[in-house]
Amino acid sequence: MRPDNLNNGLVAAEAFTDDERAAVYRAIETRRDVRDQFLSDPIPDDVLRRLLDAAHAAPSVGFMQPWNFILIRDETVRQSAWEAFSRANEEAEAMFPEEKRSTYRSLKLEGIRKAPLSICVTSDPDRAGPVVLGRTHNSRMDSYSTVCAVQNLWLAARAEGIGVGWVSIFRDEDVRALLGIPQRVEIVAWLCLGYVDQLYGEPELAIKGWRQRLPLEELVFKDGWGQK
Ligand SMILES: Cc1cc2c(cc1C)N(C[C@H](O)[C@H](O)[C@H](O)COP(=O)(O)O)c1[nH]c(=O)[nH]c(=O)c1N2
């Protein structure tokens, strides 16, 4: 038997049991982007804390932990965010080719007013000083780290019966002004959160005919770009 806690900080890392493994894959496979299924029940503080702890457990370049989480429950702030979304969404619709516009218009692409909680997730490039271990040759690594935090939160939320919807149809400056976010801080995600009692079994965009899941085989190369 290996001791659970070795002197050098290592702990035992056996594979999960079948049930534990099934639960992890179930969270991954049944996680959905939620726009319309939100219930109005508030998310209790202890549950929200677990979601934020999950986000905060994400990997980050040089362990810089560049994220912040702005919790938004205020209805007037959410109304203003929805208005910013609506303006951007009109611009977005016009960018698609004519034949896709009516389908685009029919899609529900946010739940900002329906979900009882929004979380704006930001990334602070200055969190760990100007030179960060692992970010020296690619400055985007801090944003990627913050996206890992979002995904952790999204999966934990699935396990809690809470739906999450990522809204990115905004002009940055609108969200920045609304929440007083400094210019140097990157806005990574506006997330809508709320309990759900139904979820789509497949991505809603696939069900609504916008775009289908690609076959994994097409995306896997062997030993070089494009090599099958
Ligand atoms: C970075 C980023 C940004 C957005 C999204 C996702 C991500 C990762 N998604 C959700 C997206 O449409 C969804 O994830 C895919 O359609 C796949 O569906 P499931 O997430 O599997 O349900 C999303 N959905 C939406 O309705 N409005 C939006 O503005 C966005 N923005």
Side-chain angles (χ1 to χ4, degrees), residues 31-33 35 108-110 154 166-169 203 205:
R31 179 211 53 78
R32 287 274 82 81
D33 186 69
R35 292 98 175 178
K108 169 99 171 121
L109 296 174
E110 55 73 41
W154 211 336
W166 187 327
V167 189
S168 54
I169 305 166
L205 292 189

Side-chain angles (χ1 to χ4, degrees), residues 29-32 37 198-204 206-207 213:
E29 284 157 14
T30 66
R31 179 211 53 78
R32 287 274 82 81
Q37 287 76 42
Q198 286 192 314
L199 286 172
Y200 283 102
E202 292 293 326
E204 190 176 345
I207 287 173
R213 192 182 296 285

Side-chain angles (χ1 to χ4, degrees), residues 59-60 67 123 138 140-149 186 188:
S60 59
W67 41 72
S123 191
N138 188 336
R140 288 180 298 177
M141 290 298 158
D142 45 5
S143 323
Y144 298 165
S145 305
T146 302
V147 172
C148 292
E186 186 185 5
V188 170

Side-chain angles (χ1 to χ4, degrees), residues 31-83:
R31 179 211 53 78
R32 287 274 82 81
D33 186 69
V34 178
R35 292 98 175 178
D36 207 25
Q37 287 76 42
F38 296 111
L39 306 173
S40 57
D41 313 44
I43 299 174
D45 286 346
D46 57 332
V47 179
L48 177 58
R49 174 67 197 216
R50 288 200 291 272
L51 299 186
L52 295 172
D53 277 338
H56 190 43
S60 59
V61 68
F63 201 30
M64 74 180 286
Q65 307 155 74
W67 41 72
N68 283 94
F69 307 98
I70 308 173
L71 310 178
I72 305 140
R73 293 190 181 86
D74 188 295
E75 277 186 32
T76 20
V77 179
R78 286 193 285 125
Q79 174 66 27
S80 300
W82 180 81
E83 286 163 15

